[in-house]
Amino acid sequence: MGFAKFIDKPAASDCIVVQVLKNQGAVPFMKTNIPQSLLSYSCSNTVFGKTTHPMDPSRCPGGSSGGEGALLKCDGSPIGIGTDIAGSVRIPAHMSGVCALRPTEQRISHKGLRGCLPGQRGLSGGIGVMSRDVDGVVMTMKALWVDLLFNLDCNVAPLKFNDDVYNDRNKLRIGYFDDDGFFTPVPSVRRVVNLTKDALEAAGHTLIQFKPPRAAEAIPNLGWKLLHADGNKTWLGFFKGEPMDSGMAVQIRTYLKSKWFRMLAKPCTSKRIHDTWEGHAGVRTVEELFKVQFKANAYKSEYEAEWRRHKLDVLICPGFYVTAVDNDNCGRTQYAASSTVVCNLLNFPAGTVPVTTVTEEDDRQLAEEFPVNDAWDKWAKEACKDSAGLPVGVQCVALQYQDELVLRLMKEIEIAVGSL
């Protein structure tokens, strides 16, 4: 996890996912870099140092599974395994230009994993799969969803890969949005969602504009509050006696604020930033935790009802609201993850597929037209300047247990944008 305390202390045995892949003939040959504690989309720690973006060494490949994304982009491996509790395989896929899937939580084993939030149950997390293309992700999921996995972990739903769903060629009803109302997308991210929409419409699919219900309220007051319900005690406990990575120090300074600071700064702080500070403070009592969990379950029902009202099969949205930035700016812009973390809150399967790259026109629009209403906008504008040529992806989402629909949509996009 990027901590010195774990040097020369390997796990006693492979996690179940690795056991299954080995049994299928996979040969693990490399471990790749991560941010300190994993709870970041940077890719730097005090043990192994900094991993840089394969297309721009001044920037980060994303995280937490950033080393996997960089290695795949460099054709160093056919597949990669990471973890994802708020976007940690999908964000590096978006930033480095590769593919990733975060499955429904109950369709993958978590046994044998080590993380910085043991016992956290507010956001669904677990293992995700990465590859250079959609076929690589599909191949890996077929290798994992087998009897051996179901026999080794009775918590995994015994659902094998559904080829009928993946190979179905009936046209889809696809929802889309380029802005959830919480974090402002940079121009390239907004353009890529609409480029993908046009390509899918040209392929004969029906696209329906979708507005995520109450995202600006749900992300900080449900997502972040549940993730940090203990007031960050467990997470920060791992840092005791450890030197702190500079990027992680920026992240902690930026978002962990005392009760008095939050009160005094509220009049001069935007609502979304203040709500996020409050979310990071966690809950004070078990009773409050139960209330937040109840509200989270109600939000899941509300989101699903809105989905079904539009009669959607699947959804496309930003893979992340900024493009690749440097490690320190990862800490300042981490809440660009609102489009990914909501999938963990809802336990919806989600995958990211590369679409295109940032253009000079995107850079111009960012410099001249991007609205700056608070510190987040300012940091995003500064961090993403001069990004021409860097990858931009789109995220594909389906309802719980419909993972093969996500993969089918990813493949449809790969084909559709490849023909542009």
Side-chain angles (χ1 to χ4, degrees):
M1 297 194 295
F3 289 115
K5 59 169 61 81
F6 296 123
I7 293 175
D8 296 328
K9 294 180 181 178
S13 60
D14 291 330
C15 73
I16 285 179
V17 164
V18 172
Q19 291 179 43
V20 173
L21 289 175
K22 281 184 172 180
N23 186 72
Q24 295 280 51
V27 181
F29 70 98
M30 183 182 294
K31 292 195 296 184
T32 52
N33 210 18
I34 54 173
Q36 191 176 28
S37 84
L38 297 173
L39 204 62
S40 170
Y41 81 89
S42 68
C43 197
S44 178
N45 60 69
T46 57
V47 178
F48 298 106
K50 183 184 297 184
T51 296
T52 59
H53 196 285
M55 299 172 67
D56 183 347
S58 71
R59 301 181 191 240
C60 168
S64 62
S65 305
E68 290 294 306
L71 182 67
L72 288 164
K73 185 63 177 179
C74 295
D75 293 336
S77 178
I79 65 169
I81 303 297
T83 56
D84 188 314
I85 199 171
S88 288
V89 297
R90 291 163 286 157
I91 294 168
H94 162 84
M95 289 190 168
S96 291
V98 298
C99 296
L101 173 72
R102 186 213 85 95
T104 303
E105 183 181 34
Q106 292 81 6
R107 292 195 70 180
I108 201 75
S109 176
H110 306 159
K111 286 188 176 180
L113 300 186
R114 176 188 283 174
C116 68
L117 290 173
Q120 187 282 135
R121 297 297 299 151
L123 297 187
S124 63
I127 282 178
V129 170
M130 306 173 72
S131 185
R132 289 171 285 184
D133 52 32
V134 179
D135 288 346
V137 179
V138 171
M139 174 191 71
T140 308
M141 299 318 300
K142 287 184 175 182
L144 282 170
W145 286 333
V146 294
D147 289 337
L148 179 60
L149 177 69
F150 311 142
N151 292 334
L152 290 174
D153 190 347
C154 65
N155 295 302
V156 177
L159 301 172
K160 294 187 177 181
F161 192 94
N162 192 326
D163 282 292
D164 290 340
V165 172
Y166 180 68
N167 293 319
D168 187 8
R169 287 298 166 257
N170 288 322
K171 300 304 179 182
L172 297 167
R173 284 180 61 86
I174 304 170
Y176 73 94
F177 68 86
D178 58 16
D179 187 343
D180 62 7
F182 183 69
F183 198 101
T184 311
V186 297
S188 58
V189 169
R190 193 185 296 273
R191 177 179 62 84
V192 162
V193 172
N194 288 283
L195 174 69
T196 305
K197 166 191 168 290
D198 292 344
L200 289 169
E201 283 182 327
H205 301 286
T206 300
L207 276 290
I208 303 100
Q209 190 165 19
F210 179 80
K211 182 179 180 181
R214 300 188 296 113
E217 176 185 345
I219 298 302
N221 299 324
L222 300 176
W224 301 128
K225 191 173 283 290
L226 287 171
L227 186 64
H228 301 281
D230 69 344
N232 303 285
K233 292 181 177 64
T234 302
W235 173 47
L236 295 180
F238 282 94
F239 289 90
K240 291 180 180 178
E242 291 277 338
M244 186 173 289
D245 178 77
S246 63
M248 181 55 66
V250 170
Q251 178 172 321
I252 289 175
R253 287 196 307 270
T254 303
Y255 293 105
L256 298 189
K257 305 297 186 183
S258 70
K259 177 181 178 180
W260 289 108
F261 182 94
R262 299 195 306 270
M263 290 175 58
L264 293 171
K266 184 175 182 178
C268 55
T269 304
S270 68
K271 187 177 187 303
R272 62 176 180 169
I273 294 178
H274 188 267
D275 285 351
T276 297
W277 289 344
E278 293 292 338
H280 266 292
V283 299
R284 294 179 294 276
T285 64
V286 174
E287 181 184 16
E288 184 183 355
L289 176 61
F290 285 0
K291 288 179 179 179
V292 176
Q293 289 173 332
F294 179 82
K295 290 178 181 179
N297 288 333
Y299 182 70
K300 293 174 188 178
S301 297
E302 180 183 352
Y303 203 107
E304 183 180 344
E306 188 69 8
W307 183 293
R308 295 193 185 283
R309 186 176 73 83
H310 286 83
K311 299 179 181 180
L312 302 183
D313 296 310
V314 281
L315 175 74
I316 60 170
C317 60
F320 199 54
Y321 281 117
V322 298
T323 50
V325 303
D326 64 79
N327 272 285
D328 284 354
N329 272 311
C330 288
R332 296 187 182 95
T333 58
Q334 62 173 314
Y335 296 101
S338 60
S339 65
T340 56
V341 73
V342 73
C343 298
N344 299 80
L345 177 64
L346 300 169
N347 192 21
F348 285 0
T352 298
V353 60
V355 174
T356 186
T357 57
V358 181
T359 65
E360 296 286 349
E361 175 60 16
D362 292 328
D363 276 347
R364 185 200 65 77
Q365 290 182 18
L366 179 69
E368 299 178 10
E369 302 174 14
F370 186 74
V372 176
N373 297 311
D374 62 12
W376 283 5
D377 291 336
K378 177 183 176 183
W379 291 332
K381 182 176 182 177
E382 177 64 24
C384 293
K385 68 180 182 181
D386 301 326
S387 294
L390 291 176
V392 192
V394 70
Q395 183 175 220
C396 306
V397 185
L399 295 178
Q400 198 166 340
Y401 293 107
Q402 296 182 359
D403 305 60
E404 290 88 349
L405 260 181
V406 171
L407 292 168
R408 181 195 162 184
L409 179 58
M410 290 170 64
K411 187 64 180 179
E412 295 270 4
I413 292 171
E414 190 176 67
I415 295 170
V417 300
S419 64
L420 293 177

